[in-house]
Amino acid sequence: ARTVRCSWVVIVSLGLSLAVLAVYTTVVVVVDLKAPKPCLTEVCVNTASRVLAALNKSVDPCDDFYEFACGGWIEKNPVPEWATSWDQLAILREKLVTDLRELLEDKNDHGLPKSVLKAKALYRTCMDVDKLEVYGTAPITDLLLQLGLPPTPPSVSSDNFSWEQVSGRARRTLGLSVLLSVQVAEDVRNTSRNRVVLEQVSPGFSDRYLRQADKFSFELEQYRIYITSMIKAFHPDTDAERFADDIIEFSKTLAGIMTPVEVRRSGTHLFHELSVTQLLGGNGAPPEWHQHDWQKYIDLVFSNTSVSLTDGDRVIVMDLPYLHRLAGTLARTDPLITERFLWWSVFSTVAPMTRAIFRTLGFEFSRAAWGLRARVDRHKACAANVNANYGLALSYLYVNKHFDEHEREKAIEMIEDVRESFAEAARSLPWMDDGTRDTALHKLRAIRTFVGFPAWLMDTHKLDRHYEHVEVVEGNLFESYLKLTWATVKKSLESLRETPDRNRWVATATTVNAFYSATLNSVTFPAGILQPPFYGNGIEAINYGSIGAIMGHEVTHGFDDQGRRYDSDGNLASWWSRETLEQYQARVRCIVEQYDQYGLPQLAGYNVHGFNTQGENIADNGGLRAALRAYRRHEARAGRAALLPGLPGHTPTQLFFLGFAQIWCGNSTTGALKSKMVEGVHSPNKIRVIGTLSNSKEFSEAWKCPLGSPMNPEHKCVLW
């Protein structure tokens, strides 16, 4: 009996042990199934290699996440000699130009649309630099005479000189805006129609540099040397030094009467809608207004088009005080100075399309002022030129060879994740009242998304019709340029009588960038940017941290300090309650003041301009937050997340933040960095990473940054 009882005890014990083992094994298997696994595809291995190579592991990520994420990349990727800045966007653009060159130089033209053949003809014409030397400067002198300017730099004022005639003809013939800008665009208060829009224009060199001549004396001196050298090369008998001094002094005067960016960006800046009669009559202008023939100027701008302005037409003037000040300035300025300024504006625009000496002098100016060390290869310049003029034709070639339709579908899914994540955050904002929130959510739902390329692009008949009036004179670059600009300006001006196309793309597929349009209330992600390291990285943590954050960035632009002024139809409208707007503006001030404090060690005495960069900073912060929520939505939908080989200790959320930071790894020359700090609307790359992540509670949690550490400050600026 004892033996039997012992046997039963053994059997029961063994059974219990097996049951426990089975339960343990099941738990382990379940846990293992749910645990992130390394992705070992070729794409993931390449992504892992790129991520690891970019790191600087000697830096504490809680001290300086940009240096941690990008230090290795920065050390291994100096700015190339032919560039002034170098980052992931620049690398993709370089790759794009290489792809376009191959497409343009492909000898097989069989079955290609006429528009593509025109693009190839323009490329061949651009590459034929020997022909440019044969034609010499004769095309420049012919053009100057056509516009009403003397064939050589004026030393005395011409008897028949009229700034209205020269500036009006230059706008119509060259698309060149001198002294003021005239264009056709949607009426911002009713985007179902187009209007003529007048506004101020830069005098040809940075107005910020010109207004602070002492601070930027080095750059202005290089500009003076450039003008002097160009004039001497074209016409040695001219007093080039005096000519250059006149251009710079008048440029300073024009910069001084411009409405500063800070004022134009503020909510108190007003634009004016006037009838043509009111505009021509001055509408409260100083007496000097009537010394100028504004009717002649307008008539010449719209000459040789189907449009003739009548008093029934309404004109939107973005900077009426500038126009009034311009009238007084031109009345008081020696006509010779004005004529010289217009002469230089035209000459400096077209001269690089003629003799090599002018391109060489342009490079020497860029080398001295911005740190460029070598000239851009001719094939790169020509491919970029063709892309600027025949971007849709090149897009036809590019997407047929380089774009996968499946990638578009995945990208659209990501955008919808981002949109819903932004909505989820907006629904829980404690500072937004219900009425304003409902309007914001309606606008968010109304944002249209354009991804990859426009569907009609593959219809070769439509593509050819788009370019039917654009002609290339093969072998004559200067004449081709004139014909291209003539047709492009004509088409643009004649759109005044057309209904705006609400479904138009704001960029071609051959663009490495992304866009939000306030008047269209649309986001656009061209095929050019939908590739690594922004997209197609193998694991979604990296994808959502990179292109996902850019998608969030563009969506957030609809609700930044400028975008928030437009409604779901792209009309300028007041749809914010007073209380909510006060709360919004307080949070924006926090961001402005935060970024005002940022500087870079290589540029002592320069800080980020928090006010002028606020729109992009708001978009960076809101975009990252929306992208992280979107990634978590994807994670919940897809189940187990993937890890990268070689980075087993990094969680998917940590990889998300690395994906964000590493798309902004970059280097710049001092000159280029200074220009970005002084007049850019984007913060420098490092600041975009540091500023955004230091406002993210989720970042600090993922990287376990102690409260009060540089990347986890106690006070954070959070808007969206």
Side-chain angles (χ1 to χ4, degrees), residues 556-598:
T556 307
H557 267 314
F559 306 91
D560 68 14
D561 68 301
Q562 301 297 301
R564 68 154 193 87
R565 301 175 184 177
Y566 297 81
D567 64 16
S568 59
D569 294 319
N571 297 316
L572 201 61
S574 178
W575 52 271
W576 293 69
S577 70
R578 187 185 66 182
E579 295 78 8
T580 293
L581 186 56
E582 288 175 353
Q583 294 280 350
Y584 176 93
Q585 290 171 336
R587 285 159 174 78
V588 170
R589 280 195 298 274
C590 180
I591 292 175
V592 170
E593 291 168 2
Q594 173 195 356
Y595 282 80
D596 272 338
Q597 304 305 311
Y598 290 126

Side-chain angles (χ1 to χ4, degrees), residues 226-261:
Y226 171 59
I227 298 171
T228 303
S229 302
M230 290 284 282
I231 296 301
K232 285 181 176 178
F234 182 74
H235 192 253
D237 293 337
T238 297
D239 183 347
E241 286 80 5
R242 174 66 182 275
F243 185 97
D245 289 342
D246 286 346
I247 298 301
I248 290 177
E249 289 307 310
F250 188 59
S251 297
K252 289 179 184 177
T253 300
L254 291 176
I257 66 171
M258 291 178 69
T259 305
V261 173

Side-chain angles (χ1 to χ4, degrees), residues 103-104 112 116 120 393-402:
L103 294 168
L104 287 165
L112 291 179
V116 173
K120 287 190 166 190
L394 286 190
S395 294
Y396 172 86
L397 292 177
Y398 181 80
V399 299
N400 272 309
K401 184 170 183 178
H402 295 287

Side-chain angles (χ1 to χ4, degrees), residues 360-415:
T360 299
L361 292 173
F363 160 67
E364 290 178 356
F365 169 56
S366 296
R367 177 171 58 185
W370 319 121
L372 198 66
R373 290 173 293 157
R375 297 174 65 169
V376 175
D377 290 344
R378 184 69 183 177
H379 73 265
K380 292 181 185 177
C382 289
N385 180 285
V386 176
N387 195 28
N389 289 286
Y390 282 95
L392 287 168
L394 286 190
S395 294
Y396 172 86
L397 292 177
Y398 181 80
V399 299
N400 272 309
K401 184 170 183 178
H402 295 287
F403 190 65
D404 182 352
E405 181 65 24
H406 178 61
E407 297 302 315
R408 188 218 297 257
E409 296 169 6
K410 288 175 61 180
I412 291 174
E413 179 183 290
M414 290 182 71
I415 295 170

